[in-house]
Amino acid sequence: MTENTAAVNAEYLAANQANWDERATLHAARSGSGYATGRFVEDPELLSDVVRFDLPLLGDIAGSRAVHLQCHIGTDTLSLARLGARVTGLDFSETAIEEARKLVAESGDAVDFVQADVMAAPHRLPAGSFDLVYTGIGALCWLPVIREWAAVVAKLLAPGGVLFLREGHPILWAVDETIAGEPHLRFPYFEAVEPLEWDDEQSYVSTSAALTSTRTYEWNHSLGEIVTALIDEGLRIELLVEHDSVPWEALPGQMERRDGGEWALARHAQSMPLSYTLRAVKPAG
């Protein structure tokens, strides 16, 4: 990456951070809006819909030293802790980290949170010490270069440690959600230098107010690019499963809600993948 590209990307990422700072406050509401976080305070055994979906492929993580990258306000992070892991959540939004700390202070969950950009994680966290690196839905599209993220994952993992990633499928990110009827491919499937630019005052969940920092920038990364980046960092792919559902209404007017909080295409549900789960291990020794 050239110095000029890095400087331009820094501007894009600053805009994204301003947007996510606002979202964090709105998503953390203890009412029924946002992530309805009050549920986690009221029910100490509740798991987020995302982590509950992950359970069959995530397996037993009790006793694992885990880090949740791009953790947002910590609902998935505390869910991992409720499964018995010793978890640190990391996010670039100071507001999100503040809200996450408030949430676990109220819920009683033992989770540490660190405010840092994901690319700085190996400098803010003990490298080579995590049994589990967890990355959830809607994270990778905010990163300009996927191979740099893969290098971070490899540095954080202990020998024998596992990356667990569930993400929106790059095919889904290439679909224009504003075109009604059926899915229409319009945007890049492969990683590009220039991001897609969005200007939207609404979040992906119901909130009590509109956003004012509305401009955001996203990058797609193909499934092949993601897998190859991890292999190049020495990780071994153990599992790759594609799913026909995703945990938000990604294509408004074209989807139906399933039990458990997942959304699938109302018509031709088997015609395209909407998310995927990838598990990779850092070989011992």
Side-chain angles (χ1 to χ4, degrees):
M1 183 186 300
T2 66
E3 289 186 9
N4 183 59
T5 301
V8 171
N9 283 347
E11 294 180 13
Y12 295 146
L13 297 176
N16 288 345
Q17 184 168 341
N19 177 269
W20 280 100
D21 284 345
E22 282 195 44
R23 291 201 208 200
T25 300
L26 296 171
H27 290 176
R30 298 294 187 267
S31 64
S33 65
Y35 280 33
T37 53
R39 300 173 299 146
F40 295 95
V41 177
E42 295 164 2
D43 183 353
E45 297 184 357
L46 179 69
L47 300 179
S48 68
D49 290 342
V50 170
V51 170
R52 190 167 59 250
F53 182 95
D54 291 338
L55 279 175
L57 298 178
L58 182 60
D60 183 5
I61 62 171
S64 296
R65 181 76 174 92
V67 59
H68 179 189
L69 300 180
Q70 297 169 270
C71 68
H72 192 36
I73 61 171
T75 53
D76 295 339
T77 323
L78 69 82
S79 297
L80 297 175
R82 290 179 178 186
L83 294 174
R86 294 171 291 131
V87 192
T88 298
L90 179 140
D91 198 90
F92 75 157
S93 167
E94 184 174 353
T95 305
I97 292 300
E98 289 174 356
E99 295 291 353
R101 287 171 176 158
K102 290 178 187 176
L103 179 58
V104 297
E106 293 180 38
S107 69
D109 294 289
V111 182
D112 295 320
F113 289 99
V114 174
Q115 188 272 318
D117 183 86
V118 66
M119 296 307 166
H123 305 291
R124 296 294 306 279
L125 299 171
S129 64
F130 292 97
D131 306 307
L132 172 68
V133 171
Y134 179 92
T135 296
I137 288 281
L140 299 189
C141 62
W142 304 101
L143 307 178
V145 183
I146 199 62
R147 66 178 181 274
E148 295 179 356
W149 166 83
V152 167
V153 170
K155 289 175 183 175
L156 292 174
L157 283 172
V162 172
L163 164 69
F164 186 94
L165 167 68
R166 186 182 177 222
E167 211 2 320
H169 202 286
I171 282 288
L172 175 61
W173 299 132
V175 171
D176 188 344
E177 66 183 63
T178 67
I179 302 177
E182 295 188 348
H184 292 266
L185 292 173
R186 178 180 175 185
F187 303 121
Y189 174 79
F190 301 99
E191 184 179 295
V193 174
E194 291 297 319
L196 291 174
E197 180 179 328
W198 305 98
D199 195 346
D200 192 350
E201 64 180 16
Q202 301 300 320
S203 186
Y204 49 87
V205 292
S206 176
T207 57
S208 60
L211 300 169
T212 58
S213 298
T214 58
R215 198 172 301 275
T216 57
Y217 301 88
E218 298 179 25
W219 294 261
N220 204 359
H221 314 285
S222 76
L223 203 56
E225 289 166 341
I226 295 164
V227 168
T228 301
L230 293 169
I231 291 172
D232 285 348
E233 289 298 327
L235 302 188
R236 184 179 72 247
I237 308 300
E238 285 191 326
L239 175 148
L240 177 59
V241 179
E242 294 171 296
H243 311 288
D244 69 350
S245 66
V246 72
W248 83 100
E249 191 179 7
L251 303 174
Q254 301 180 44
M255 308 188 82
E256 59 186 8
R257 195 174 189 273
R258 293 176 173 171
D259 293 340
E262 290 286 302
W263 291 81
L265 292 175
R267 299 176 58 195
H268 313 302
Q270 299 293 311
S271 64
M272 64 178 285
L274 298 180
S275 64
Y276 66 94
T277 297
L278 182 151
R279 196 170 65 217
V281 64
K282 182 175 182 177

